[in-house]
Amino acid sequence: MHNQMLMKKYKTLQSAMFAPLFLLGLTLGSSVTLAQNLSPNFPDKPIRLIITTPAGSGVDAIGRALAQGLTEITRQQVIVDNRAGAGGIIGATAIANAAPDGYTIGIAATAHIVSPLLQAKPAYHPINDFTPIAQLTVIPNIVVTSLKNNVKNLKDLIDLTKRKPDEINYGSLGDGTASHLSAEIVNRSMGMKTVHVPYRTIADSYTGLWSGDVQYEVYLMPSALPLFQGGRALAIANTGRTRSPALPDVPTVRELGYPEAESEITIGVVGPSNLSPAIVQKIHQLMVEAMKLPDVREKMSKQGGQPSPELDTKAYEQRLKLEYETYKKLISTIGLKPQ
């Protein structure tokens, strides 16, 4: 009996002695795993940056500015790979299916969130199938009205729609596009009952506004700027949180008393799921450095956005989740059916 008691005490003491070593082993094992996922010289080969919009678009311009900055910072070529089509689904699927090694990353904008919500059988989940890396910028929408209406400001437009409910038209690039959903956010927050007129191309939508076939449109800043050529349209409100340097005289919807009408396009960088924290941290750090370069900041500002790479990865992830829930609810409210 005495010997059994001694043996039990020995085993207890042995466990207490080796438990810290076991935990240390787990910690060292985790460190080794992270080290295996991240070369000390990362990146030591070219990086592919997938952009889910066509060359020449506002999102593309921002992606190319980032690629230029990363190339300068890392001394490794960052190859821009435009994978446009199917509302961004083609490019997003390529990002989701890439190896989780940090050498294939991609730009995510509104379509990244919205397109799967419009599919009966989504090709991917915009949150669960990706790793958020860095928010690059947010770009506001601009409420633009035709000069054919004699509308000088937002109050005039609201009054016009109240006098003629369901008779005033607004244009967009089609059901479920950013221009459509942003306009619906404006409409619902201001109680405007208007008619949606979808266009096949952005050029057609410009002509529709200039001619007065539609009375207003809500476009992302880079897409809105060409509307003002020749003085044929008027910017009456900015849906962002702050005024834009590109249109400093245009008040925000919050200033005008409609904070619920705020909507911004978040543009950031994501990678495939299961990117290691070490890789995410390294790429995020490189992007912060790249976006401090004056040339990169200037090119992004020309698109109407304020560079915001200092936002930490967790905050960017929370913003993506909030946008997912917001657009999911909006799409259901306006009755868009997944195809």
Side-chain angles (χ1 to χ4, degrees):
M1 182 70 178
H2 179 68
N3 289 339
Q4 289 177 342
M5 291 178 63
L6 287 177
M7 182 61 69
K8 185 175 182 181
K9 287 182 179 180
Y10 172 74
K11 289 182 177 180
T12 301
L13 179 61
Q14 187 181 46
S15 298
M17 290 173 63
F18 283 100
L21 295 177
F22 173 73
L23 293 175
L24 177 61
L26 287 178
T27 303
L28 290 175
S30 300
S31 299
V32 168
T33 299
L34 290 180
Q36 289 173 343
N37 287 334
L38 180 65
S39 164
N41 299 319
F42 180 90
D44 53 12
K45 62 181 181 180
I47 293 174
R48 180 169 63 134
L49 178 67
I50 295 176
I51 299 179
T52 61
T53 59
S57 66
V59 173
D60 175 71
I62 288 172
R64 288 178 183 275
L66 174 67
Q68 172 192 322
L70 286 175
T71 297
E72 185 173 336
I73 292 292
T74 65
R75 304 300 181 190
Q76 291 290 341
Q77 185 178 10
V78 178
I79 302 167
V80 172
D81 183 1
N82 289 93
R83 295 286 189 95
I89 290 172
I90 292 174
T93 302
I95 299 168
N97 292 337
D101 57 8
Y103 287 98
T104 298
I105 53 180
I107 301 291
T110 301
H112 176 83
I113 297 291
V114 171
S115 292
L117 292 171
L118 298 174
Q119 288 189 307
K121 296 181 179 180
Y124 61 85
H125 190 286
I127 306 298
N128 300 339
D129 292 335
F130 299 86
T131 301
I133 297 173
Q135 177 176 304
L136 301 178
T137 188
V138 290
I139 300 178
N141 293 290
I142 303 298
V143 183
V144 186
T145 186
S146 170
L147 294 184
K148 300 280 187 179
N149 304 326
N150 198 31
V151 169
K152 303 299 182 185
N153 52 50
L154 186 61
K155 182 179 182 303
D156 286 348
L157 178 62
I158 295 172
D159 290 344
L160 178 63
T161 64
K162 295 295 176 63
R163 290 197 306 270
K164 299 180 178 181
D166 297 318
E167 294 182 30
I168 302 302
N169 301 328
Y170 75 90
S172 85
L173 289 178
D175 289 343
T177 60
S179 55
H180 175 212
L181 298 180
S182 298
E184 282 298 326
I185 291 172
V186 168
N187 293 344
R188 290 168 189 280
S189 64
M190 299 175 188
M192 300 195 302
K193 295 182 178 180
T194 56
V195 179
H196 177 214
V197 179
Y199 286 94
R200 293 186 63 183
T201 70
I202 195 166
D204 289 340
S205 75
Y206 288 168
T207 302
L209 186 75
W210 289 331
S211 67
D213 289 340
V214 296
Q215 283 68 50
Y216 70 103
E217 293 173 342
V218 182
Y219 266 136
L220 188 64
M221 174 75 76
S223 299
L225 293 177
L227 280 165
F228 310 131
Q229 294 173 358
R232 290 178 287 179
L234 181 68
I236 60 174
N238 173 338
T239 68
R241 300 180 188 183
T242 60
R243 293 196 183 199
S244 170
L247 293 172
D249 296 329
V250 179
T252 66
V253 287
R254 180 174 289 274
E255 291 177 65
L256 296 171
Y258 297 95
E260 299 86 0
E262 287 183 348
S263 64
E264 296 174 315
I265 305 303
T266 303
I267 299 178
V269 175
V270 298
S273 62
N274 299 321
L275 274 185
S276 78
I279 291 176
V280 172
Q281 182 180 5
K282 180 64 176 179
I283 299 175
H284 185 276
Q285 176 188 345
L286 291 172
M287 289 183 179
V288 171
E289 293 179 27
M291 291 181 66
K292 288 179 180 178
L293 298 173
D295 190 41
V296 175
R297 294 185 70 86
E298 180 183 358
K299 287 181 177 179
M300 289 197 175
S301 295
K302 283 183 178 179
Q303 301 305 314
Q306 296 295 316
S308 55
E310 64 280 353
L311 191 71
D312 65 64
T313 301
K314 193 65 179 177
Y316 174 45
E317 180 180 16
Q318 291 304 315
R319 187 178 181 105
L320 290 176
K321 289 179 178 178
L322 176 61
E323 289 191 354
Y324 177 76
E325 295 301 328
T326 298
Y327 284 117
K328 183 178 180 181
K329 181 178 179 180
L330 178 62
I331 287 169
S332 174
T333 300
I334 63 181
L336 284 181
K337 301 297 183 182
Q339 300 296 317

